[in-house]
Amino acid sequence: MFIEKIRHVIIVKTAFLNFALTLSATIIRPLIVEQSIVFTYMGIFNSFVLGCVFLFVKKAQPKDWQAMLLVASVMLVLLPIVLVSGGNNSHFSYLFPIIPIFVSLVSNAKYTWITTLIIVVCLLAIYFSSGLLPDYTYENVPQNKTIARTIWLTFSVLFACKFGIEFNRIISTLGNKLSEQAEIDVLTGIHNRRSIMLFLQHAMDEAKLKNTHLSVLMIDLDHFKQINDNYGHLVGDQCLRAAAQCLKQGIRQHTDQAGRYGGEEFIVVIKDANEQKAFEIAQQILLEIAQTSIEIDTINSINVTATIGLCTRSGDNLTSIEHFIELADKVLYLGKESGRNCVIKAAM
Ligand SMILES: Nc1nc2c(ncn2[C@@H]2O[C@H](COP(=O)(O)OP(=O)(O)OP(=O)(O)O)[C@@H](O)[C@H]2O)c(=O)[nH]1
């Protein structure tokens, strides 16, 4: 959504720039250079078209096709001008290589290749139609120069396409890595608090809408301070990683999610399951944690246990995530008081 918004801003700004530059050139150019009146008429028409496109994309919601609409409008105003100002020798044809770079920035590789292909076909068509249309610049360019410029332009457009796609690929790989890092807890490799809270909020909205069941498990490792004190923080960290793996394996992969809530406390969100099913998942997790041995050296290993507080609510009984977590937390501490290594359910 964030990327889509940035792309929309680029599209709107480019649409405005197209309009402003065309209008300015239409007004200023006749004052500086001597030119045929045809260009002034074309400039007025083009400014009108580009102005309308700008107003349209500014008002519309961010959508993929807006980039293509902008490209289509630019091609629509650019092609006739290029055709009557010397074809591929026209100064306006220098604008062609910018188009694939723009498309790659605001759209995807598929649209960039399609646009590039259309431009290359246009360049060839312009070359073969030269001589058929009047040249209002009245310049006499030798045929070999026209051929050379057509070849250079074609390669520039292809290079711009490849460059734009590669640049975009690097940016999106970096973006994916960054958002992954922003969602994952560095120590355990499962979701961090921010990410699991977001998941819980979405799951809650969904459960309210469909009136399905939703459960949270608050999981706290038992006597973890003692493990740290007796074996050191590195062994403590190993226990946290092992517990996180047990959570990952214990949940249903496509519906549920596990995250680190903070310190030695974890949270699991279970969607579309009644209390009994959530209780079975919790017990399975409890068993997995208790059965996992953590090596402290080549000979010795330890086992940790956990206590789980379970809260299940149907969609119409859900209030806020804070309240939901508080209910699970309360029964978790009841579990601690009643001897640990158990699952306690909150009253429905
Ligand atoms: N190794 C390690 N320890 C952590 C980390 N985060 C929190 N802790 C430790 O976790 C311990 C939590 O201890 P307590 O809150 O007293 O709980 P507990 O000893 O598990 O006791 P109960 O929860 O009552 O069973 C503290 O010693 C923290 O220093 C971490 O990232 N790594």
Side-chain angles (χ1 to χ4, degrees):
M1 200 60 203
F2 179 64
I3 298 279
E4 269 174 25
K5 273 191 184 155
I6 292 182
R7 284 179 165 169
H8 188 239
V9 170
I10 298 177
I11 290 173
V12 174
K13 284 193 174 170
T14 312
F16 176 73
L17 216 67
N18 283 342
F19 162 68
L21 283 176
T22 309
L23 187 65
S24 318
T26 308
I27 297 166
I28 298 167
R29 216 165 175 261
L31 307 175
I32 305 169
V33 288
E34 211 175 297
Q35 64 170 26
S36 163
I37 190 75
V38 172
F39 292 116
T40 308
Y41 292 144
M42 279 182 143
I44 294 168
F45 175 75
N46 292 345
S47 303
F48 174 74
V49 171
L50 294 173
C52 290
V53 170
F54 163 63
L55 290 177
F56 183 71
V57 293
K58 191 174 173 234
K59 287 225 163 77
Q61 290 295 311
K63 290 273 165 6
D64 252 9
W65 51 261
Q66 284 172 2
M68 297 317 282
L69 172 76
L70 197 58
V71 170
S73 66
V74 168
M75 291 296 279
L76 189 77
V77 301
L78 197 57
L79 278 175
I81 287 210
V82 168
L83 279 169
V84 297
S85 60
N88 290 338
N89 296 307
S90 165
H91 294 168
F92 294 103
S93 62
Y94 298 157
L95 296 171
F96 284 125
I98 299 173
I99 299 174
I101 294 183
F102 167 76
V103 179
S104 69
L105 281 181
V106 295
S107 187
N108 53 34
K110 189 178 111 192
Y111 283 143
T112 311
W113 275 116
I114 292 173
T115 311
T116 304
L117 220 70
I118 292 171
I119 298 174
V120 169
V121 169
C122 287
L123 287 174
L124 296 176
I126 292 167
Y127 170 74
F128 286 112
S129 65
S130 62
L132 300 176
L133 287 163
D135 175 359
Y136 290 106
T137 61
Y138 308 113
E139 276 177 34
N140 230 339
V141 184
Q143 181 70 1
N144 58 350
K145 268 203 166 173
T146 309
I147 295 173
R149 282 177 184 166
T150 303
I151 293 170
W152 277 116
L153 262 176
T154 307
F155 277 107
S156 303
V157 168
L158 288 171
F159 174 76
C161 165
K162 189 74 187 130
F163 171 81
I165 288 172
E166 283 305 306
F167 180 79
N168 214 6
R169 197 179 55 77
I170 293 168
I171 294 291
S172 46
T173 311
L174 278 176
N176 289 344
K177 264 199 180 146
L178 276 179
S179 55
E180 198 182 292
Q181 277 172 12
E183 284 179 1
I184 298 295
D185 175 60
V186 207
L187 179 71
T188 59
I190 59 172
H191 289 270
N192 61 21
R193 184 173 174 145
R194 182 181 153 273
S195 168
I196 192 77
M197 286 297 117
L198 265 176
F199 181 82
L200 178 56
Q201 186 61 63
H202 289 313
M204 228 167 150
D205 295 342
E206 200 182 303
K208 279 182 190 170
L209 201 72
K210 297 181 184 166
N211 198 20
T212 48
H213 281 98
L214 185 67
S215 301
V216 284
L217 309 180
M218 292 303 289
I219 302 146
D220 191 280
L221 299 188
D222 298 331
H223 300 303
F224 194 60
K225 189 176 176 319
Q226 273 179 30
I227 293 172
N228 273 333
D229 292 347
N230 295 344
Y231 307 103
H233 268 75
L234 286 182
V235 173
D237 286 352
Q238 240 174 289
C239 294
L240 290 173
R241 275 193 288 268
Q245 281 313 306
C246 294
L247 300 188
K248 245 182 161 177
Q249 278 153 22
I251 57 173
R252 297 165 307 163
Q253 301 309 314
H254 299 294
T255 42
D256 311 335
Q257 206 166 89
R260 188 174 176 202
Y261 193 62
E264 29 51 288
E265 200 167 7
F266 297 92
I267 177 168
V268 165
V269 180
I270 300 169
K271 295 204 296 189
D272 292 330
N274 59 19
E275 192 185 51
Q276 183 52 33
K277 178 71 194 161
F279 185 68
E280 283 166 20
I281 294 173
Q283 278 195 314
Q284 184 56 36
I285 289 172
L286 206 71
L287 198 71
E288 284 275 338
I289 294 177
Q291 285 177 348
T292 304
S293 300
I294 291 106
E295 286 182 11
I296 48 176
D297 52 45
T298 45
I299 306 161
N300 301 304
S301 62
I302 53 163
N303 288 73
V304 281
T305 59
T307 304
I308 303 181
L310 157 66
C311 182
T312 304
R313 288 286 178 271
S314 59
D316 49 6
N317 278 328
L318 288 165
T319 49
S320 66
I321 49 173
E322 290 79 13
H323 182 57
F324 202 17
I325 288 174
E326 197 187 318
L327 290 172
D329 231 7
K330 271 188 184 153
V331 281
L332 162 66
Y333 283 98
L334 284 182
K336 291 276 179 185
E337 280 167 14
S338 65
R340 298 177 174 81
N341 193 18
C342 58
V343 183
I344 305 280
K345 295 187 250 181
M348 287 287 271

